[in-house]
Amino acid sequence: GAGVSQSPSNKVTEKGKDVELRCDPISGHTALYWYRQSLGQGLEFLIYFQGNSAPDKSGLPSDRFSAERTGGSVSTLTIQRTQQEDSAVYLCASSSTSGSIVEQYFGPGTRLTVT
Amino acid sequence: AQSVAQPEDQVNVAEGNPLTVKCTYSVSGNPYLFWYVQYPNRGLQFLLKYITGDNLVKGSYGFEAEFNKSQTSFHLKKPSALVSDSALYFCAVRDDGAGRRALTFGSGTRLQVQP
C-alpha cells in the first residue's frame, strides 16, 4: 500500500514569508508526528497527533510554528514569518496507534530552504 | 526526560567485516528502543525494536541489536557488512511511562562500508 507522502518535496522561500507543509499519513494510522532534521543533526520532535486527543505541541520551537490535522488524516505544518534557522528537512511519520509500541513510518520529507 | 547518545559520528568498516554502531540511552522508566536507517534523499526506514523479552533483537537486512540494561545500551550489529549498508543510522528511545509518545532520536551515525 501507499506510504506516508509529503509535499512539496522541496521548498525555497524568502525570509519573512509563511510556508505550509503537507503530510498524508498511511490510511488508517491514528498517530501522526512531525520532526525536523537540520543539517548534521538528529531528528527534533515538533508535534504529535493521536486521534481526536489534544496534540502534544511540546516540541514546537516557537509560536511561529503551528500544525493541524483535519479529519484525523492529512496534516499541515505552518511556519509563519520564516527565518533562516528554519531551514531543515521536515519529516512526517505515522503509526497505527501509540497505545501499543509500534514503529513509525516516515515520509520522504520536505526540504525547506529560507533565503 | 529521555535522551539518546550515539557517540560516533561515523563508522568505517570493510565489506565482509562485522559492524557495530553504538547507542546509549537514558529514560526514567523502562525503555522502548528503535533503530532506523536513512538512505540519501529518502525518509527513515524502520530496522528493529526492543520492547521486552530477549535482549538480542533481530531486524531487517540481517541487522540485530543487543539490549543491555546495566550499561543502558542498544548497539546495532551485523555479522558481515555490505557496501549497500552505507547509510545514516539513528537510534531512538521512548519511555514506557505516561510521558511523551514521540521518539527521542540520537544525532545519527554515518556508516561507511568500503569494498
Side-chain angles (χ1 to χ4, degrees), chain A residues 33 35 37 40-43 45 48 56 58-59 91 98 101-104 106-108 111, chain B residues 32 34 36 38 41-44 46 49 51 88 90 94 100-103 105-108:
Chain A
Y33 310 79
Y35 295 89
Q37 184 177 20
Q41 302 293 317
L43 274 72
F45 165 74
Y48 154 66
D56 176 357
S58 60
L91 293 168
S98 67
I101 307 306
V102 295
E103 57 269 27
Q104 298 174 21
F106 283 81
R111 181 175 299 277
Chain B
Y32 299 139
F34 300 78
Y36 285 82
Q38 185 176 37
N41 300 316
R42 297 178 60 180
L44 274 72
F46 169 77
K49 65 183 178 184
I51 305 303
L88 189 57
F90 289 97
R94 212 203 88 181
R100 173 182 291 177
R101 298 288 182 169
L103 297 174
F105 285 83
S107 56

Side-chain angles (χ1 to χ4, degrees), chain A residues 41-77:
Chain A
Q41 302 293 317
L43 274 72
E44 174 188 12
F45 165 74
L46 297 177
I47 188 169
Y48 154 66
F49 296 90
Q50 170 57 42
N52 295 321
S53 301
D56 176 357
K57 303 179 181 180
S58 60
L60 294 178
S62 78
D63 58 7
R64 297 186 295 104
F65 288 73
S66 63
E68 62 178 21
R69 189 179 185 193
T70 54
S73 181
V74 172
S75 177
T76 302
L77 176 70

Side-chain angles (χ1 to χ4, degrees), chain A residues 12-13 16 20 22-23 25-26 28 40 44 47 54 57 68 70 74 76 78-80 85-86 90-91 99 104 107 114:
Chain A
V12 180
T13 190
E20 285 190 351
R22 177 187 169 103
C23 172
I26 293 173
E44 174 188 12
I47 188 169
K57 303 179 181 180
E68 62 178 21
T70 54
V74 172
T76 302
T78 301
I79 309 173
Q80 296 178 311
E85 61 262 29
D86 299 335
Y90 289 81
L91 293 168
Q104 298 174 21
V114 182

Side-chain angles (χ1 to χ4, degrees), chain B:
Chain B
Q2 53 197 39
S3 65
V4 176
Q6 293 182 244
E8 303 153 316
D9 290 337
Q10 180 156 326
V11 170
N12 297 309
V13 63
E15 187 174 32
N17 283 359
L19 69 87
T20 299
V21 182
K22 296 179 180 177
C23 170
T24 58
Y25 66 89
S26 175
V27 294
S28 55
N30 292 313
Y32 299 139
L33 293 153
F34 300 78
W35 275 101
Y36 285 82
V37 59
Q38 185 176 37
Y39 297 100
N41 300 316
R42 297 178 60 180
L44 274 72
Q45 296 178 33
F46 169 77
L47 276 180
L48 50 81
K49 65 183 178 184
Y50 171 83
I51 305 303
T52 186
D54 289 342
N55 290 341
L56 186 64
V57 178
K58 294 188 182 297
S60 307
Y61 312 120
F63 283 93
E64 58 189 28
E66 186 170 11
F67 171 65
N68 188 315
K69 187 172 183 177
S70 63
Q71 297 184 3
T72 62
S73 67
F74 190 57
H75 301 332
L76 181 70
K77 300 181 179 183
K78 187 173 183 181
S80 179
L82 300 173
V83 172
S84 57
D85 293 330
S86 298
L88 189 57
Y89 291 80
F90 289 97
C91 181
V93 68
R94 212 203 88 181
D95 196 302
D96 72 340
R100 173 182 291 177
R101 298 288 182 169
L103 297 174
T104 296
F105 285 83
S107 56
T109 298
R110 186 165 301 280
L111 174 66
Q112 192 69 40
V113 181
Q114 285 109 14

